[in-house]
Amino acid sequence: MQLVSETARMRKAQTEPEISITIQPGEEMINFIDMVIENIGLGSAHKICFEVISDFEFEEGKLVSNIGYLKPD
């Protein structure tokens, strides 16, 4: 029974997506930043939604909440 349970957990882990989000300096324009969203898991990711739940400084004096498309309503 333990082997069946372990196999089921392993199968689930192999079909789950794992999302990585990073912010890096823009490649085209120096004043822009790029948000890179990648699926680094083995499963496919569909209908990805996210929200910024805590603000942080990505450069000195620049907060994520001040980025135009991330400003709260």
Side-chain angles (χ1 to χ4, degrees):
M1 192 62 139
Q2 184 179 357
L3 182 59
V4 173
S5 175
E6 187 175 315
T7 303
R9 283 195 312 267
M10 287 177 59
R11 181 174 295 158
K12 183 177 180 184
Q14 291 176 341
T15 59
E16 296 261 327
E18 186 174 343
I19 305 300
S20 168
I21 300 175
T22 56
I23 295 176
Q24 62 190 29
E27 294 179 8
E28 294 83 23
M29 304 274 303
I30 195 161
N31 292 333
F32 284 28
I33 61 165
D34 291 331
M35 180 181 293
V36 181
I37 303 171
E38 299 177 285
N39 180 8
I40 58 175
L42 298 174
S44 59
H46 303 278
K47 298 181 183 178
I48 299 170
C49 298
F50 65 93
E51 64 180 297
V52 177
I53 56 175
S54 66
D55 209 358
F56 67 93
E57 195 173 48
F58 65 92
E59 282 183 16
E60 190 172 333
K62 294 183 179 179
L63 299 174
V64 169
S65 64
N66 292 331
I67 299 172
Y69 54 86
L70 292 179
K71 285 185 182 175
D73 291 333

